[in-house]
Amino acid sequence: MAKIKRIELPGQLKKLPKHLKIILSGFGLAIVGVLMYYLSTASPMFGQAAPPTVFADGASNVTKHTADLAGVISNDDNEVITAQGIEFGLTPSYGTTLTQDHNGTNNFSLEATYLECNTTYHYRAFITSGSNIYGGDDDFTTASCEVTPEEPSA
């Protein structure tokens, strides 16, 4: 087995944390301890949890006065999500919020009601995981205000 020899760190390298050790062995130079620490705190790939994300997933069943607004959650690191919801309104400032407890799935839909006919609405999905995390803006237009005549009965 190769003999391990410890060496003194020159100049600026002395300012590194004590738990950074440079070990000279028969296999070359190995940096241990801090390297894994820095990698684990600097990159999601090495242990830091990536925050969940959410985005609007379309409006369906749109009528003159209602619409089902969907969201999709991506939570690869299984962070705790307590609530999910939709904000909507006539502008990207929204104004109305629909919220429900997180149901444990990645897809959700909430019904917006009391909408005006033939009107464009903006909406975005959000989740609560410590703080609110918002998806991007999307929009939909409610059905026309025209009254469709009933067919004459025979």
Side-chain angles (χ1 to χ4, degrees), residues 74-141:
S74 175
N75 190 12
D76 295 337
D77 289 327
N78 295 317
E79 293 293 310
V80 175
I81 297 172
T82 56
Q84 57 201 24
I86 299 287
E87 292 184 330
F88 70 95
L90 297 175
T91 69
S93 296
Y94 310 105
T96 302
T97 302
L98 305 172
T99 306
Q100 65 183 176
D101 291 340
H102 179 56
N103 60 15
T105 66
N106 291 337
N107 300 305
F108 65 94
S109 180
L110 294 165
E111 183 182 30
T113 56
Y114 303 104
L115 304 176
E116 295 294 324
C117 58
N118 198 35
T119 303
T120 298
Y121 287 88
H122 291 265
Y123 74 102
R124 68 179 176 181
F126 72 90
I127 53 177
T128 303
S129 178
S131 61
N132 284 345
I133 299 169
Y134 296 93
D137 181 69
D138 204 350
D139 62 57
F140 68 96
T141 302

Side-chain angles (χ1 to χ4, degrees), residues 34-53:
V34 168
L35 179 58
M36 288 308 297
Y37 170 78
Y38 286 123
L39 289 175
S40 70
T41 59
S43 168
M45 188 167 79
F46 292 103
Q48 183 182 15
T53 59

